[in-house]
Each structure stands twice: as structure tokens, then as C-alpha cells.
Amino acid sequence: MKKHKGIFITFEGGEGTGKTTVAKLVEEELISKGMKVFLTREPGGTGLEFSEKIREIIMDNDNIDPITELLLFNASRREHLVKKIIPHLNKNEIVISDRFSDSTFIYQGVVKGVELSCFTKADEITVGKENQPSITFIFDLDPKIGLERISSKNRSTNRFDDEGIEFHQKVKKAYLDLYESNKEKYFLLDASKSVDEIKEIIVNKIIKHVS
């Protein structure tokens, strides 16, 4: 099994938990400490036109069959992994992805009901055991607060933002269950804290991991 030179880190959580904001702050802090960092996000992928087109298809259509949706996410992820994530890991960089395969497991699997076997088979083909993240930070927040944050920022919403509160509560519970399933891999964050506090926790954890 090939081991990458770099460190693969993912951020996960529900809508409005602050992942994207914190990811940028963590990137800046690590770079200031002399580390090489590649920050990206899913669905899509930084600098990948093909994957971004798949993202548009997913986000612009709210009546996609859950299995079709799962396969679209995995098609985009495979391109992202092979053309961006792995090459940067092989340059001995820290790769941070705002969402990865755990999002597909939570949203399309647990919440939308796609059987675990479907997710597992797709993930084995798309990602494989050798390309799984080393650390996944789960941003935990009351869904009502997350949706209020989105509204207060007056940003355009996507179709996942616009789901009902019951959907978002299921997402929150599913992430907590995922954390409980493997506390060595998953690191739970109280996303109600300030972005600076969360940034420091993550940066310290990463530095400890690479030391």
C-alpha cells in the first residue's frame, strides 16, 4: 500500500457551521509557520473545471435520485483526488479539504437512505483505503444557529441550506454518531466558539500530528 508523503485533513459538519471560514484561517496560519498547504473543497475542487461542472449539476437540480446523487459526488471526487489531492500530498504538502467522502456518507447515506453497501462500494472504487484522510475535524453546531448564520450573512443559499430543520437535525446527529464510531480519526469541535478559537485548536492539533 502506497503511503503519501503529505497529510490529508478534512473538515466536516452541517450547513453554517463555519468550516469554510475557518479553513481559510487555518491555511493562512499554517503557511505563516512555513508549512506548504493546499486548500480545496467539495463538491468540485480547486482548479478543476470538470468537477465544478458536476457540482453545478448537483446544486442546480433538487430532484435527483439519491443513488444518482451519490454517484455524481463520487465522479467529481475521483477527479479531485487523482488530479489535485494526491499530487499535492506527494509534494509533501498538507491538504485540507472542506468536505470529502464523509459528507456523502452522511447526506446521501444516513439522511437520504442510500444503503451502506452502495456507499462502501463507491468509496472503495473512488477513494480506496490508502487515500482516506488522516484527521477529520467535525464542526458541531445547533442547526438553528447554523441556518441563522447563513441568513445573517445574506449569502445565496444552496439546496442543502434550504432543506427543513428536521433534515439538518438528522445531519447533526449523523455526524455525532460518526464521531462516536472512531474517536481516533474524528476530532469533534464546538462550532459555537469563535473562529479564532477554533482555528487555534485545529492548528495545534495539526502541528502535533506532523511533529
Side-chain angles (χ1 to χ4, degrees):
M1 183 181 298
K2 183 178 179 181
K3 183 175 177 60
H4 303 302
K5 297 177 182 178
I7 304 296
F8 185 24
I9 295 164
T10 55
F11 287 5
E12 293 284 353
E15 311 304 319
T17 53
K19 299 185 296 17
T20 304
T21 300
V22 173
K24 185 62 180 174
L25 294 175
V26 170
E27 176 196 30
E28 292 171 353
E29 182 75 10
L30 292 174
I31 290 173
S32 74
K33 295 179 181 298
M35 300 180 185
K36 294 181 179 180
V37 183
F38 175 66
L39 176 61
T40 187
R41 63 104 170 89
E42 291 198 353
T46 301
L48 279 176
E49 183 178 355
F50 177 76
S51 292
E52 287 297 305
K53 287 181 178 178
I54 297 177
R55 175 189 176 90
E56 290 174 10
I57 292 171
I58 294 170
M59 293 303 185
D60 291 345
N61 294 275
D62 60 3
N63 192 30
I64 304 175
D65 174 81
I67 293 179
T68 303
E69 196 172 69
L70 179 146
L71 294 171
L72 285 169
F73 275 115
N74 275 278
S76 175
R77 180 165 302 127
R78 182 62 186 177
E79 287 291 298
H80 188 204
L81 179 71
V82 171
K83 295 183 178 176
K84 290 294 179 178
I85 293 173
I86 291 175
H88 281 278
L89 288 173
N90 286 334
K91 292 178 183 177
N92 202 28
E93 296 180 13
I94 296 172
V95 174
I96 300 173
S97 183
D98 180 356
R99 295 198 182 283
F100 196 63
S101 55
D102 285 324
S103 284
T104 304
F105 170 70
I106 297 295
Y107 282 77
Q108 283 68 51
V110 179
V111 178
K112 292 194 173 185
V114 174
E115 290 185 7
L116 177 61
S117 60
C118 292
F119 167 81
T120 302
K121 288 177 183 177
D123 197 60
E124 285 176 355
I125 294 168
T126 304
V127 181
K129 292 182 180 179
E130 70 274 18
N131 297 312
Q132 297 294 331
S134 297
I135 309 172
T136 296
F137 293 95
I138 296 176
F139 287 60
D140 181 50
L141 185 69
D142 183 332
K144 292 181 180 178
I145 296 175
L147 295 175
E148 287 171 2
R149 285 180 176 180
I150 292 170
S151 178
S152 66
K153 289 180 180 178
N154 198 30
R155 73 162 172 82
S156 59
T157 58
N158 61 52
R159 67 184 181 85
F160 294 105
D161 296 332
D162 294 335
E163 292 280 358
I165 190 63
E166 184 179 352
F167 175 92
H168 296 288
Q169 288 170 340
K170 287 180 179 179
V171 169
K172 173 181 166 64
K173 182 182 183 304
Y175 272 118
L176 290 176
D177 289 344
L178 190 63
Y179 164 70
E180 291 292 338
S181 73
N182 189 347
K183 292 183 180 180
E184 290 186 6
K185 174 185 176 183
Y186 297 103
F187 190 93
L188 191 66
L189 294 162
D190 178 359
S192 68
K193 293 183 177 181
S194 72
V195 293
D196 286 329
E197 287 180 286
I198 298 170
K199 177 201 71 175
E200 287 302 315
I201 292 170
I202 293 172
V203 168
N204 289 336
K205 177 75 173 177
I206 293 173
I207 290 174
K208 183 178 179 181
H209 185 80
V210 299
S211 298

